[in-house]
Amino acid sequence: MAQDDLFKKLIAHAKEYGYIFQSSEIYDGLSAVYDYGQMGVELKNNIKKFWWDAMVKMNENIVGIDTAIFMHPAIWSASGHTSAFNDPLIDNKDSKKRYRADDLIEEHIQKYQTKINKDLAKGKKKFGDDFDEKQFLETNPNVLRNKAKIDDIQGRLVKALEADDLNEIKQIIIDCEIADPVSGSKNWTDVRQFNLMFETQLGSVADGASKIYLRPETAQGIFVNYLNVQKTGRMKIPFGIAQIGKAFRNEIVARQFIFRMREFEQMELQFFVKPGTEMKWFEYWKEMRIKWHKAMGLPEEKYRFHKHDKLAHYANAAYDIEFEFPFGFKELEGIHSRTDFDLSQHQKFSGKKIQYYDPESGESYVPYVVETSIGLDRTFLTILAGCLKEEELKKENGESDTRVILQIPPALAPIKLAVLPLVKKDGLPEKAREIINELKFDFICQYDEKDSIGRRYRRQDAIGTPYCITIDHQTLEDNTVTIRDRDTMKQERVQIPELAKIVEDKVSMKKLLKKIF
Ligand code: GAP
């Protein structure tokens, strides 16, 4: 299936099965804002738990906090967000569409990479086992020409972004003859900077209201509480503070469903370390974070690291973990070595000393920070994109059928088991309710008695429920049920008292955590 079609199907599926709805839909929606439905909220809560457990529960030296969305406006001056949290924007005069200028250039660069990949695939096909990929990439004239173009454009872009040279960014767009992806027009305005923070007022106007912001990241709530947590928690360096919460950005080019939203959730860790040890911890967190992603069991080739060419002025190393979404490889998580920039800035702007006293060495210093920052909604999207499948099934009469299945890792699945009486009579519904009343203490269960058993299985496959339990007439005789596995569709007859253990073995969060620790 073409990636575009796959993405459309994913969005339709997310709505049809109660995962994600457009915000304010009955009023024609609010752009780039989404609501999570009855299934979505469960999946989201499970992802949060997996992250929280992997950070806070599994590490003695990491604690969590939950800070307010509204913060003192001076925080955003100290962090640099008021002056520098900008996107370079450009408008097309004909189509009236607005774009991020750097994104247009990156997408143009990607075209050369696609050409290289195509040449590579052709070479592999032509030479088979004798193909030497390294040599091909180093010598093939087409590849070399395209590589040189990539290096040239990328080099210019990085320099222009570093120097905040908006004229040069526009010049790259003109030199590369980049056209509006919608209309094909090359009639561009100048590039302008646009601040992404939402503003609001604290207090009524009569009181002399002051301008405050909706936080654009959760990280600053951690930095300004560094001393509180370190002192009250008697934390010793190295230690971390984790937080999950909403962030807000007035994204101008908000597309691609929940990939880029105006209101979204982040899961962030600030890990405080002794200056000079930050690279060791940076490597440590890179490895831990990719393990966390891979523990979910989505195809490993869908993840890759991307090294930042352009480092923020406060960072001394930065990588992204990218995921191959239906619209290509894009950032999912950032891992940044932020030096002592944030704490030093808050020290300067607040006038309060923010340091760590090392009782062993007797020295005091401003700690360095390694940050891991992941979007909860983007993680959610990786799961939908990686787990939504259409399977061909061969029926007994030789005809073929398809089933749509959401192969969510069982520990993250919204509903862990469905309990289905084969018929709506003969005491089977009552027996099903009895089973649910016992299992609901441990698992979110769903009861369903409508339609044929086959249709009910399909509904649960589409939601992603790992197990279906069927109550039939034999159940009343020998206290057994059949349990059907979502992925293999195999059914087994088991004793009712065994159910809790069978399900727990498959759906426990411990199973995922054990792959990391
Ligand atoms: N404290 C560092 C920070 O906020 P970032 O790269 O701007 O860094 C971190 O954001 C993560 O937050 C991203 O990797 C992405 O997963 C998520 N994110 C950022 N902007 C987003 C948006 N508009 N919609 C959804 N997720 C977003």
Side-chain angles (χ1 to χ4, degrees), residues 32 81 85 216-220 223 247-251 254 257-268 270 308 314 320-321 331-334 336 338 371-379:
H81 282 81
F85 193 51
E217 62 170 18
T218 61
Q220 297 304 323
F223 289 126
F248 303 83
R249 296 183 189 178
N250 196 2
E251 300 281 1
F257 196 35
I258 56 168
F259 178 80
R260 197 177 300 286
M261 298 154 87
R262 297 200 163 103
E263 174 180 342
F264 58 100
E265 258 179 283
Q266 289 185 316
M267 306 191 283
E268 299 202 293
Q270 309 298 327
H308 279 218
Y314 51 79
D320 290 338
I321 293 177
E331 176 186 341
L332 167 61
E333 168 156 15
H336 300 160
R338 297 180 73 118
E371 169 187 77
T372 73
S373 173
I374 175 171
L376 174 55
D377 313 271
R378 283 192 194 174
T379 312

Side-chain angles (χ1 to χ4, degrees), residues 18-251:
Y19 275 89
I20 298 169
F21 308 126
Q22 173 72 61
S23 160
S24 321
E25 191 185 301
I26 59 169
Y27 290 94
D28 294 335
L30 187 65
S31 150
V33 186
Y34 290 91
D35 297 335
Y36 285 83
Q38 66 280 13
M39 291 298 144
V41 68
E42 297 295 342
L43 173 55
K44 212 174 170 196
N45 284 342
N46 292 339
I47 300 171
K48 284 194 220 181
K49 181 164 168 44
F50 178 38
W51 186 87
W52 193 263
D53 284 359
M55 290 299 186
V56 178
K57 196 172 165 190
M58 298 302 296
N59 293 289
E60 273 176 39
N61 60 347
I62 298 181
V63 290
I65 56 171
D66 182 21
T67 69
I69 285 167
F70 294 144
M71 300 173 77
H72 194 288
I75 287 170
W76 306 112
S77 304
S79 66
H81 282 81
T82 335
S83 58
F85 193 51
N86 300 322
D87 273 349
L89 298 182
I90 192 163
D91 292 72
N92 188 279
K93 290 184 197 164
D94 298 325
S95 71
K96 310 281 181 237
K97 294 257 177 225
R98 182 165 288 175
Y99 298 93
R100 266 181 62 171
D102 53 338
D103 277 359
L104 282 178
I105 299 171
E106 292 284 2
E107 275 159 27
H108 182 75
I109 291 173
Q110 195 56 40
K111 286 185 188 155
Y112 292 112
Q113 188 57 49
T114 308
K115 283 185 188 169
I116 294 178
N117 294 347
K118 271 191 186 154
D119 283 334
L120 196 60
K122 267 194 218 156
K124 274 185 188 158
K125 202 170 163 195
K126 191 167 166 194
F127 297 108
D129 287 345
D130 295 334
F131 184 64
D132 183 339
E133 182 170 330
K134 189 166 175 282
Q135 192 191 7
F136 183 82
L137 288 175
E138 283 169 2
T139 56
N140 181 279
N142 283 345
V143 170
L144 292 179
R145 201 173 38 251
N146 286 322
K147 257 188 171 170
K149 281 187 184 144
I150 293 177
D151 290 345
D152 174 47
I153 304 169
Q154 211 147 37
R156 281 179 71 186
L157 177 62
V158 169
K159 247 173 130 180
L161 287 172
E162 269 168 4
D164 218 0
D165 186 346
L166 303 182
N167 291 335
E168 168 65 358
I169 296 176
K170 179 171 181 186
Q171 197 55 48
I172 300 173
I173 290 177
I174 292 168
D175 294 348
C176 292
E177 299 185 14
I178 296 174
D180 180 334
V182 177
S183 68
S185 153
K186 293 178 191 159
N187 194 6
W188 296 109
T189 61
D190 287 342
V191 178
R192 290 174 300 118
Q193 291 288 22
F194 183 90
N195 192 285
L196 297 181
M197 283 199 294
F198 282 104
E199 294 173 7
T200 187
Q201 305 292 324
L202 189 72
S204 73
V205 177
D207 291 335
S210 58
K211 182 159 83 179
I212 57 167
Y213 301 95
L214 300 189
R215 67 179 178 200
E217 62 170 18
T218 61
Q220 297 304 323
I222 297 179
F223 289 126
V224 298
N225 277 291
Y226 160 79
L227 277 183
N228 285 335
V229 175
Q230 192 271 318
K231 291 215 151 69
T232 59
R234 292 179 296 119
M235 307 303 289
K236 285 209 171 69
I237 272 183
F239 76 92
I241 305 179
Q243 166 154 243
I244 300 178
K246 290 257 180 176
F248 303 83
R249 296 183 189 178
N250 196 2
E251 300 281 1

Side-chain angles (χ1 to χ4, degrees), residues 409-459:
L412 304 181
I415 308 287
K416 302 300 187 210
L417 74 158
V419 182
L420 318 170
L422 191 60
V423 289
K424 268 193 265 181
K425 54 183 186 179
D426 305 338
L428 300 189
E430 290 76 9
K431 188 70 189 169
R433 293 277 182 210
E434 207 181 282
I435 293 174
I436 288 193
N437 282 339
E438 193 52 39
L439 294 178
K440 71 183 179 191
F441 291 95
D442 295 313
F443 315 109
I444 296 195
C445 309
Q446 199 171 71
Y447 175 84
D448 190 3
E449 59 175 25
K450 201 170 173 296
D451 299 323
S452 72
I453 194 75
R455 288 185 73 167
R456 282 182 270 167
Y457 285 154
R458 290 287 183 281
R459 260 201 305 268

